[in-house]
Amino acid sequence: MNRATAAWLASRGLRSESSEWRVTIDLENDAQAPTARFNIAIAIPNLEQLGVLVTGLERRFDLYFRRLHARSETTIDRSEPAIRLWVVACV
């Protein structure tokens, strides 16, 4: 695990019992017929800049990713509320 992902987990009060953990988050711009999707795989560096990237894409392509309705998938038990809070507040 690199420092960025370890810091991401720690800053959310999350811990994984396994070294093989993963988190993926999918954002879409429409509930019925999405025309844009953004997939986040927690393993990348510079997570603190992810919100800047997403909002830049939204402005450039005139769309809005529905953060409250993001789908997340993870192997970390009981982590969904912390992940959802991060998506809404930081992405």
Side-chain angles (χ1 to χ4, degrees), residues 11-28:
S11 67
R12 270 143 206 91
L14 301 175
R15 233 172 42 101
S16 175
E17 301 300 322
S18 168
S19 62
E20 297 294 320
W21 65 273
R22 68 182 168 77
V23 174
T24 59
I25 302 163
D26 292 316
L27 297 170
E28 296 176 340

Side-chain angles (χ1 to χ4, degrees), residues 2 5 8 21-27 38-45 47 50 71 73 86:
N2 67 36
T5 54
W8 185 87
W21 65 273
R22 68 182 168 77
V23 174
T24 59
I25 302 163
D26 292 316
L27 297 170
F38 191 82
N39 179 268
I40 304 164
I42 307 300
I44 58 177
L47 289 170
L50 193 57
R71 287 188 313 267
E73 183 180 320
W86 176 76

Side-chain angles (χ1 to χ4, degrees), residues 1 14 16 40 50-53 57 64 67-68 72 81:
M1 176 179 347
L14 301 175
S16 175
I40 304 164
L50 193 57
V52 174
L53 172 64
L57 290 170
Y64 178 74
R67 289 153 179 82
L68 284 173
S72 64

Side-chain angles (χ1 to χ4, degrees), residues 8-9 12-17 22-23 72-85:
W8 185 87
L9 277 179
R12 270 143 206 91
L14 301 175
R15 233 172 42 101
S16 175
E17 301 300 322
R22 68 182 168 77
V23 174
S72 64
E73 183 180 320
T74 180
T75 59
I76 303 170
D77 291 338
R78 298 177 302 282
S79 63
E80 198 277 333
I83 292 169
R84 182 167 304 282
L85 181 63

